[in-house]
Amino acid sequence: MTDHATDHPTDHPTGHTVEGNPEADPEENRRQVLYWRLLARLFDHEEQTTLESASLAVVEDIGLPPALLDPGIAIDSLVQRHPELAAEFDGLMVPGAEPGTGTDDDGARDRAAEVRRAALVSKVLLNVFASGSGTVTAGQLARWQSDAGWLERALGCTPGELRGGRPGARAGGVSPTGTGGRGPTPDLSRLIPAIGPELGAIEADLVRRMRLREVLADPGLAARLTPSMSLIEQLLRDKNNLSGVALANAKALIRRFVDEVADVLRTQVEKASVGAIDRSVPPKRVFRNLDLDRTIWKNLTNWSPEEERLYVDRLYYRHTARRTTPQRLIVVVDQSGSMVDSMVNCTILASIFAGLPKVDVHLVAYDTQALDLTPWVYDPFETLLRTNLGGGTDGTVAMALAQPKIAEPRNTVVVWISDFYEWRAEPLFESMAAIHRSGARFIPVGSVTSSGRGSVNPWFRERFKDLGTPVISGHIRKLVHELKTFLT
């Protein structure tokens, strides 16, 4: 990006049309200048003098404060000095918020409003996405979180909503990037599914660049942290080095995240398919189970034409009991550095299935050593506090714990979650094949994440396929469906 990016022969950024091109739209020129500056700032750390001076002229000309162009000024500070701007930031990028276009005086006012909106959008995006590099202070993190909250408000969400992975803003709308000519100001709401994870990644990077222990020692700053997978990973890795207030705040963040994920997974388990109706169990004789159609059909012989009345001798009820048998679920999860998402998700998922009737759940975590977490399987929070993330991978040590737990193979399912990059691959696979041949259900899973992304060792993938137990895609909904179908 160089300074001559705005050297256009037909216009001037402050709105004066140059002779020789009478059709040039001064408002469109202004809008383009603001967005060229935004792009330059996002992708080039060096300030472009021409773009900065041209943008300053535009901002002053439309009556906005020059502080709007200073990325070092937080939006909170800007709004505190200019309270009238708060309402303009709210819903700024929601579909339908942008002005219309026209060819008369109304159209000219609309295009002028687009310029103003472009200046405000640039401020929000620059403050959030130009996060810089180097060491981050607790104050800088707090300021970024506040600015990210303003971006979420601009998209029609509540502060923290996107970073928490719960996009609630309205989707759809116009193109997410401005077009050449007289297109509207960018509407980013269509990109909400991507913006949420991106905000989480930026926040995680800022947390990595600061002294997390100092933040945790300050209850005010710790309360402003948004629980995310990357933050939870850091807390779990550093938990043994924390004490006092810092440890208490770390545990509170972990529990918040666990509870939020558990609510989502519990809903998915409830929606998954369940076992067949067990007609050997008499139906409960309650009103909600009354089969009205069958009751009428079976009592039609009691119809009295003279009285035009149906006499009911017997009520019929629907069967609702599901056929279940005692099942054992053994979950083995790789807790090495590449499988953090899976460790967290599967720990929570195991606790949910442990709450189902007639399901006996066992949980084993491993890296180069194996740990039987079954005594704490009902409490994923306590389970995670006992894990030690990182290290290498040796599934044979986990197999030594898992195999003795298979008492009745026909009523047992073994779920093995790993990327299967093992240094003793052949003996481990032979043990897995032996479990499959014994009659137990063996389910290899590449990873368990919300996105379903994950890398799996091709050597294992091919052999599982030949064995007739292909690796399940890592999306957690697939695993929930497989387990619910088998266990109920």
Side-chain angles (χ1 to χ4, degrees):
M1 182 72 68
T2 59
D3 287 352
H4 66 267
T6 58
D7 293 342
H8 195 288
T10 61
D11 51 62
H12 187 278
T14 58
H16 303 292
T17 303
V18 176
E19 185 178 357
N21 189 1
E23 295 184 3
D25 184 350
E27 304 300 346
E28 177 62 18
N29 295 338
R30 289 171 166 176
R31 196 177 69 92
Q32 294 290 354
V33 163
L34 292 171
Y35 283 131
W36 274 115
R37 173 187 175 268
L38 171 63
L39 292 173
R41 281 275 192 167
L42 288 173
F43 296 107
D44 190 345
H45 296 302
E46 294 185 10
E47 186 176 289
Q48 304 297 319
T49 306
T50 302
L51 288 172
E52 293 296 328
S53 59
S55 298
L56 179 61
V58 170
V59 167
E60 290 179 335
D61 203 35
I62 62 178
L64 286 171
L68 194 75
L69 297 177
D70 186 352
I73 295 179
I75 299 176
D76 272 343
S77 301
L78 185 68
V79 169
Q80 187 175 10
R81 299 178 198 174
H82 306 276
E84 71 280 1
L85 294 179
E88 293 191 65
F89 281 115
D90 277 330
L92 185 64
M93 305 177 202
V94 172
E98 74 277 356
T101 57
T103 56
D104 52 11
D105 291 342
D106 289 339
R109 283 194 292 271
D110 287 341
R111 292 194 295 277
E114 288 175 11
V115 176
R116 185 178 183 89
R117 188 166 178 260
L120 297 172
V121 167
S122 296
K123 174 63 176 174
V124 176
L125 295 181
L126 193 58
N127 274 35
V128 173
F129 290 102
S131 55
S133 59
T135 303
V136 175
T137 66
Q140 287 172 322
L141 175 64
R143 198 201 81 170
W144 182 90
Q145 290 172 328
S146 174
D147 288 337
W150 280 102
L151 173 60
E152 289 165 317
R153 289 171 62 171
L155 289 166
C157 303
T158 57
E161 189 172 0
L162 295 183
R163 283 167 284 161
R166 301 174 301 279
R170 296 166 286 277
V174 297
S175 172
T177 55
T179 58
R182 296 187 176 93
T185 303
D187 161 35
L188 299 183
S189 62
R190 290 179 60 188
L191 300 180
I192 282 178
I195 290 175
E198 183 63 25
L199 290 178
I202 294 174
E203 184 173 36
D205 179 62
L206 293 171
V207 170
R208 278 192 292 270
R209 287 157 48 193
M210 67 181 302
R211 295 180 175 87
L212 181 58
R213 296 176 196 174
E214 294 179 9
V215 177
L216 292 172
D218 185 327
L221 290 174
R224 298 185 65 176
L225 287 174
T226 303
S228 62
M229 190 65 75
S230 54
L231 176 60
I232 299 308
E233 176 183 350
Q234 287 207 60
L235 295 176
L236 291 174
R237 290 183 187 280
D238 203 34
K239 64 183 184 296
N240 293 330
N241 299 316
L242 302 175
S243 60
V245 174
L247 180 59
N249 286 330
K251 288 183 176 181
L253 284 165
I254 295 171
R255 187 172 286 282
R256 257 178 71 193
F257 185 78
V258 165
D259 290 344
E260 290 175 3
V261 174
D263 286 342
V264 174
L265 294 183
R266 193 172 291 109
T267 300
Q268 293 182 5
V269 170
E270 290 171 354
K271 289 181 178 179
S273 60
V274 294
I277 296 291
D278 188 354
R279 300 193 179 277
S280 66
V281 178
K284 287 186 178 180
R285 296 179 177 273
V286 295
F287 179 75
R288 68 172 179 272
N289 290 342
L290 178 63
D291 189 338
L292 189 58
D293 290 341
R294 190 172 178 223
T295 297
I296 293 173
W297 176 257
K298 290 288 188 180
N299 288 279
L300 278 178
T301 56
N302 298 326
W303 169 255
S304 173
E306 295 81 10
E307 300 178 64
E308 295 186 348
R309 180 171 297 186
L310 179 67
Y311 291 92
V312 177
D313 291 335
R314 179 182 174 186
L315 297 175
Y316 290 84
Y317 296 86
R318 298 183 185 89
H319 289 78
T320 56
R322 303 283 177 173
R323 184 177 294 113
T324 60
T325 56
Q327 306 280 14
R328 174 162 292 187
L329 169 62
I330 303 171
V331 179
V332 182
V333 58
D334 180 350
Q335 67 171 354
S336 63
S338 60
M339 299 296 294
V340 175
D341 286 23
S342 295
M343 184 68 230
V344 174
N345 279 298
C346 285
T347 298
I348 298 170
L349 193 61
S351 72
I352 294 171
F353 276 101
L356 295 179
K358 299 184 180 179
V359 178
D360 179 26
V361 179
H362 295 254
L363 179 63
V364 175
Y366 75 98
D367 42 36
T368 55
Q369 295 182 325
L371 180 65
D372 190 346
L373 297 169
T374 304
W376 303 278
V377 73
Y378 289 94
D379 189 340
F381 170 73
E382 290 295 334
T383 301
L384 287 171
L385 291 184
R386 286 168 169 78
T387 61
N388 293 300
L389 302 179
T393 308
D394 184 3
T396 59
V397 296
M399 184 61 75
L401 281 180
Q403 271 185 324
K405 295 178 179 289
I406 305 174
E408 299 180 28
R410 294 292 176 185
N411 290 331
T412 302
V413 58
V414 178
V415 179
W416 198 291
I417 302 103
S418 175
D419 54 13
F420 298 100
Y421 283 94
E422 299 277 346
W423 67 284
R424 289 200 284 182
E426 292 192 13
L428 178 60
F429 177 76
E430 286 304 318
S431 300
M432 293 173 172
I435 290 177
H436 175 69
R437 289 192 296 268
S438 73
R441 177 80 182 277
F442 185 82
I443 304 177
V445 183
S447 65
V448 180
T449 66
S450 56
S451 64
R453 293 190 298 269
S455 170
V456 176
N457 185 339
W459 188 90
F460 269 92
R461 184 185 291 279
E462 288 302 315
R463 279 155 182 78
F464 283 135
K465 186 177 179 181
D466 294 339
L467 190 65
T469 58
V471 176
I472 289 181
S473 170
H475 204 296
I476 197 164
R477 284 196 299 269
K478 291 188 177 182
L479 179 58
V480 168
H481 176 79
E482 290 284 333
L483 291 179
K484 194 74 181 292
T485 301
F486 183 83
L487 293 171
T488 59

